[in-house]
Amino acid sequence: MRILLAEDDAALAERLVPILQSAGFTVDHHADGRAAEFAGQTEAFDAAVLDLGLPGYDGLTVLERWRGAGLKLPVLILTARTRWHDKLAGFTAGADDFLTKPFQPEELILRLHALIRRSAGHAHPVLRVGPLSYDAHHNRFALDDRPLTLTAHESRVLAYLMHHAGRVVSRGELGEHVYEQGMDPDSNAIDVVIGRIRRKLGVDLIHTERGRGFRMEAATR
């Protein structure tokens, strides 16, 4: 899952990026509102963490411009402001959640997982496809209730496919949502990762749709 982090506090951003990465997210960080607004309009993200007090465009302006352009990605606002009318302004502009500074990073991670899960149409925090389960809160996979060991990259790919189980995910879409900003993996690199995941699963859950991409689905009997 790819996250846009718009935060101008360098110390906070430096602390959050590795924490989010260790939770299984790919993170693009921008410290300026104009850069964040442009990135949200032109890149593919699964959610955004948006500080209100950004230089350039402030956070509310960024959010209003995103929503005005029809951008539907879930947005969690970070702010040191505690007044109700500030929160009201954020929700009115189209925010999906609000977290007041200071906060525990674990709470941010839980809220992001919940936003992404709901935006993909999942109500339960544990996703399941056949014998495979994914506990998003703890970034853990299990096959037949036994822990499944994956690399960080494999985990990001499999998590994205599980969030979008039942539909075809193109190689381009997969690359956009699991690789860092500026990386442009070729389709062969993605096929190699998918191949490694398939061998570890040992069951037919990831189906290749020729010329279209991959579809994650348990075989029906």
Side-chain angles (χ1 to χ4, degrees):
M1 298 292 145
R2 188 177 176 193
I3 302 297
L4 170 58
L5 173 63
E7 172 59 65
D8 67 325
D9 183 331
L12 177 58
E14 187 175 345
R15 185 165 64 96
L16 285 179
V17 169
I19 291 172
L20 290 169
Q21 289 172 334
S22 68
F25 295 112
T26 298
V27 184
D28 292 4
H29 171 235
H30 293 282
D32 177 84
R34 291 180 184 273
E37 191 271 339
F38 180 77
Q41 296 271 20
T42 57
E43 301 286 337
F45 296 98
D46 296 289
V49 178
L50 181 64
D51 181 44
L52 288 183
L54 294 170
Y57 292 149
D58 62 58
L60 280 181
T61 299
V62 172
L63 183 54
E64 288 169 348
R65 291 175 71 92
W66 282 347
R67 297 308 190 221
L71 200 63
K72 297 179 180 180
L73 86 161
V75 175
L76 184 151
I77 285 180
L78 287 183
T79 182
R81 305 172 190 174
T82 59
R83 294 172 298 182
W84 164 243
H85 73 79
D86 290 320
K87 292 185 177 181
L88 179 61
F91 285 123
T92 301
D96 298 279
D97 202 355
F98 218 100
L99 191 56
T100 303
K101 301 175 183 177
F103 58 90
Q104 292 296 322
E106 292 80 8
E107 182 177 2
L108 173 61
I109 291 168
L110 288 174
R111 287 172 181 258
L112 281 174
H113 278 304
L115 287 176
I116 293 169
R117 188 181 70 247
R118 288 197 297 267
S119 72
H122 301 287
H124 199 276
V126 178
L127 308 184
R128 297 184 183 276
V129 178
L132 179 67
S133 64
Y134 172 54
D135 181 348
H137 287 173
H138 300 96
N139 195 31
R140 295 173 185 165
F141 294 87
L143 187 66
D144 288 324
D145 297 322
R146 293 189 297 271
L148 184 65
T149 301
L150 299 168
T151 67
H153 195 184
E154 292 165 354
S155 294
R156 290 195 297 268
V157 170
L158 189 54
Y160 191 82
L161 290 175
M162 289 196 72
H163 274 87
H164 300 280
R167 75 168 179 85
V168 177
V169 176
S170 71
R171 288 172 175 81
E173 177 184 344
L174 196 54
E176 286 180 333
H177 286 267
V178 302
Y179 284 89
E180 301 287 349
Q181 183 181 22
M183 294 185 66
D184 186 21
D186 58 32
S187 60
N188 183 63
I190 293 174
D191 286 332
V192 168
V193 176
I194 294 290
R196 293 203 306 261
I197 295 172
R198 281 173 167 154
R199 287 192 292 274
K200 291 183 178 182
L201 292 176
V203 289
D204 192 16
L205 295 177
I206 303 176
H207 309 276
T208 300
E209 301 285 341
R210 189 176 298 276
R212 299 176 63 204
F214 305 99
R215 175 175 49 83
M216 187 151 201
E217 194 170 70
T220 56
R221 298 182 179 180

